């Protein structure tokens, strides 16, 4: 997250769901979208999970830049990005849908729906999962040579 007050709840979630040994290999830290990850972000990632992070159209491009950067060194890596249309941030979802294919070679959209709605007699799909693989050449060029990307604050 890039929102400081959310770090403690994230840490509490990690602590509640992992063993002590697993917690030792996890660090929850702030990451500002559109910045290059610093050395504290570790090395290669195989899977990135991003839930409810598409909420402001201005932040869509920096989020995509960051995902592309984090996946750029691992050819088999992928990102799972989800959002719930029921929240109603249509302008952010439209920005995402308009840009995502320019950042990744492989983009798959899966409408999952909310299983609770099925029991309430509603069957419309609300939750969408995006599977992103292979940052595009355009994305790579942006990440490697774009002055708009700044180094992460220390």
């Amino acid at each position: 997250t890039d929102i400081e007050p959310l770090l403690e709840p994230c840490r509490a979630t990690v602590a509640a769901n992992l063993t002590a040994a697993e917690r030792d290999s996890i660090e929850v830290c702030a990451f500002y979208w559109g910045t290059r990850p610093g050395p504290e972000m570790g090395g290669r990632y195989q899977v990135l999970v991003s839930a409810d992070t598409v909420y402001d159209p201005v932040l869509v491009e920096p989020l995509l830049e960051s995902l592309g950067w984090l996946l750029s060194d691992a050819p088999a890596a992928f990102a799972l990005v989800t959002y719930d249309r029921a929240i109603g941030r249509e302008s952010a979802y439209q920005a995402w849908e308009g840009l995502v294919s320019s950042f990744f070679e492989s983009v798959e959209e899966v409408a999952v729906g909310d299983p609770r709605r099925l029991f309430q007699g509603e069957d419309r799909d609300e939750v969408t999962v995006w599977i992103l693989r292979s940052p595009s050449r355009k994305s790579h060029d942006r990440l490697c040579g774009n002055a708009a990307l700044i180094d992460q604050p220390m």
Side-chain angles (χ1 to χ4, degrees):
T1 182
D2 62 340
I3 303 171
E4 293 291 332
L6 295 181
L7 290 174
E8 282 310 311
C10 288
R11 288 183 181 111
T13 298
V14 167
N17 290 288
L18 300 176
T19 67
E22 291 168 330
R23 286 192 302 266
D24 288 342
S25 67
I26 302 285
E27 181 180 353
V28 176
C29 61
F31 179 68
Y32 300 91
W33 301 338
T35 61
R36 294 176 194 256
E40 72 282 357
M41 294 292 291
R44 293 183 177 190
Y45 299 91
Q46 293 303 310
V47 179
L48 296 175
V49 178
S50 176
D52 296 328
T53 52
V54 179
Y55 54 85
D56 185 334
V58 173
L59 297 175
V60 167
E61 189 166 350
L63 173 59
L64 286 164
E65 288 172 344
S66 294
L67 291 170
W69 183 262
L70 291 167
L71 296 177
S72 64
D73 288 335
F78 62 96
L80 300 172
V81 179
T82 69
Y83 56 76
D84 185 350
R85 285 194 177 277
I87 295 171
R89 304 207 188 257
E90 285 304 317
S91 60
Y93 309 146
Q94 289 173 358
W96 173 271
E97 292 163 9
L99 288 171
V100 68
S101 292
S102 68
F103 281 84
F104 291 89
E105 298 292 336
S106 174
V107 175
E108 181 181 353
E109 178 184 3
V110 181
V112 175
D114 183 341
R116 294 171 298 186
R117 294 189 198 294
L118 296 175
F119 297 110
Q120 298 168 351
E122 300 177 38
D123 61 353
R124 56 178 199 236
D125 290 333
E126 299 283 351
V127 176
T128 302
V129 177
W130 295 81
I131 304 169
L132 312 176
R133 293 181 177 90
S134 305
S136 68
R137 183 68 193 168
K138 179 180 176 182
S139 177
H140 179 269
D141 291 345
R142 279 184 184 180
L143 295 169
C144 294
N146 186 348
L149 280 179
I150 58 173
D151 288 330
Q152 186 170 353
M154 309 230 344

